[in-house]
Amino acid sequence: MESLSTHDFYYDLPQELIAQEPLNDRAASRLMCINRNTGEYSHETFRDIIKYLNKGDCLVINDTKVIPARLFGVRETEEGELLTGRIEVLLLKRLKNNIWETLVKPGKKCRIGTRLSFGDGLLKGTVLDVVEEGNRLIQFSFDGIFEEILDKLGQMPLPPYITRELKDKNRYQTVYAKNEGSAAAPTAGLHFTRELLKEIEDKGITIAHVTLHVGLGTFRPVKADKITEHHMHSELIIVEKEEAMKINYAKQEGGRVIAVGTTSCRTLESMTDENGILCSGSKLTDIFIYPGYKFKMIDGLITNFHLPESTLLMLVSAFAGKDNVMRAYGEAVRERYRFFSFGDAMLLI
């Protein structure tokens, strides 16, 4: 498996299949169901996923909430004069003392010591340092509550392949989004409605929550030719004790653990010990799952259709077999499925 190259995960995707906006009805997306042992697939509607879930299974959802993390500001002189030229700042990771790791454009105008002003000075920032990949550490100062200021000034950080503005901010949130901190949505969860989740619970399926705050490393292209040379960004994961107990109980009783999205999958695999027991707690994870990886916890995966040559496509291939997955992607292109964040879904069991 070591010899796998990034190009092994390439497929040709017509531009018009990239979904630019969500469907009005979340659960009306299409669903491709794949048997990961045989590679056989069938075409369904997402709300029919309940047919494939059994009493005693445990569905694990990522309850992170996307923050309006894209800010537009201007540089400020020491005397408080505002300079011309817009600076875009994308919040990636919250550190201590109102310091954030950020992605800044244009970076060359944001050297250490640069002062920034957003919303007529409602929010101010100072560049403290340059970190890997050219990201900047910025310390923010403000009066009031940071989240409220962000809500007023910030925009949803939609992925670069979505070129239309989103009319309703909440359509880039899952219906169960709770813990603020993501720069991108855990998109497999966007298909669930409250009604569908209730139906699932009524059938005797446990729903457990975990948290992974999604960073923009998710969209970072793999530049290395050999996938083993790619380094993942770290992201914060949290598993509460009560939720770990639910998941472990389902597993011990013979139920399947089905991860909603690659983020839930990476959280579960990062927090499961060698005996197959899920531990509670929080930590940073940079787990990179690609073919050859031995899964410790998950038995099923619900996910969207991912970019060619992406780490997410590699994870899905690790779980269901690269040949099965690439064949299914070819079928999805032929059948004109909708791709990426606002697109259709896949169930792998």
Side-chain angles (χ1 to χ4, degrees), residues 147-162:
E147 285 72 19
E148 288 179 2
I149 292 169
L150 209 53
D151 218 35
K152 194 179 280 187
L153 301 181
Q155 294 180 6
M156 278 299 187
L158 293 177
Y161 47 75
I162 293 175

Side-chain angles (χ1 to χ4, degrees), residues 71-77 80-83 85-87 89 114-126 138 140-141 153:
L71 292 162
F72 293 97
V74 291
R75 288 175 300 148
E76 185 181 87
T77 66
E81 288 176 23
L82 302 181
L83 301 170
R86 193 163 77 153
I87 304 288
V89 174
T114 300
R115 294 148 66 105
L116 299 167
S117 175
F118 307 89
D120 295 327
L122 195 59
L123 179 66
K124 296 202 173 194
T126 304
I138 295 180
F140 290 98
S141 60
L153 301 181

Side-chain angles (χ1 to χ4, degrees), residues 53-312:
L53 305 176
N54 305 327
K55 185 178 179 178
D57 286 347
C58 182
L59 197 65
V60 183
I61 59 180
N62 179 8
D63 64 10
T64 189
K65 191 170 188 179
V66 186
I67 57 173
R70 179 171 275 130
L71 292 162
F72 293 97
V74 291
R75 288 175 300 148
E76 185 181 87
T77 66
E78 281 185 33
E79 292 74 37
E81 288 176 23
L82 302 181
L83 301 170
T84 55
R86 193 163 77 153
I87 304 288
E88 180 182 340
V89 174
L90 196 55
L91 304 177
L92 299 181
K93 196 187 297 176
R94 189 198 294 263
L95 307 172
K96 58 187 178 184
N97 303 329
N98 294 319
I99 297 170
W100 284 76
E101 183 178 337
T102 68
L103 184 63
V104 176
K105 291 182 196 170
K108 61 179 182 294
K109 290 193 173 175
C110 287
R111 299 190 176 91
I112 294 170
T114 300
R115 294 148 66 105
L116 299 167
S117 175
F118 307 89
D120 295 327
L122 195 59
L123 179 66
K124 296 202 173 194
T126 304
V127 179
L128 300 183
D129 205 358
V130 179
V131 287
E132 60 163 351
E133 297 285 314
N135 294 353
R136 304 290 189 276
L137 294 187
I138 295 180
Q139 183 159 34
F140 290 98
S141 60
F142 49 89
D143 290 325
I145 297 165
F146 185 72
E147 285 72 19
E148 288 179 2
I149 292 169
L150 209 53
D151 218 35
K152 194 179 280 187
L153 301 181
Q155 294 180 6
M156 278 299 187
L158 293 177
Y161 47 75
I162 293 175
T163 53
R164 291 182 204 160
E165 206 169 311
L166 192 57
K167 296 182 191 84
D168 175 6
K169 266 194 211 179
N170 285 325
R171 288 315 307 271
Y172 196 54
Q173 303 279 19
T174 61
V175 295
Y176 45 76
K178 188 175 71 172
N179 293 318
E180 294 189 328
S182 273
T187 54
L190 295 177
H191 303 281
F192 286 95
T193 61
R194 288 190 177 88
E195 295 74 21
L196 181 54
L197 289 167
K198 185 176 184 312
E199 255 184 83
I200 288 167
E201 281 190 304
D202 289 347
K203 192 177 173 179
I205 294 139
T206 302
I207 296 177
H209 295 235
V210 297
T211 306
L212 180 147
H213 290 317
V214 188
L216 280 201
T218 300
F219 302 112
R220 188 169 152 237
V222 179
K223 290 179 180 160
D225 289 335
K226 286 188 179 168
I227 63 173
T228 49
E229 290 167 8
H230 177 71
H231 175 66
M232 294 284 280
H233 269 70
S234 62
E235 293 165 312
L236 178 67
I237 54 174
I238 305 159
V239 179
E240 302 290 350
K241 192 174 181 182
E242 194 180 304
E243 304 303 309
M245 285 168 68
K246 281 187 203 171
I247 297 162
N248 286 327
Y249 180 77
K251 192 85 171 169
Q252 284 152 12
E253 292 297 303
R256 298 172 303 173
V257 173
I258 296 165
V260 177
T262 56
T263 58
S264 297
C265 166
R266 291 178 64 237
T267 303
L268 293 172
E269 293 299 317
S270 296
M271 296 296 273
T272 300
D273 67 19
E274 294 312 311
N275 302 315
I277 306 295
L278 180 67
C279 305
S280 59
S282 67
K283 67 177 186 181
L284 290 171
T285 183
D286 61 357
I287 189 171
F288 180 17
I289 297 174
Y290 52 84
Y293 177 84
K294 297 281 181 280
F295 287 84
K296 297 178 286 190
M297 177 54 75
I298 76 164
D299 306 294
L301 178 64
I302 298 164
T303 190
N304 280 19
F305 290 88
H306 303 296
L307 278 79
E309 301 184 338
S310 63
T311 59
L312 304 179

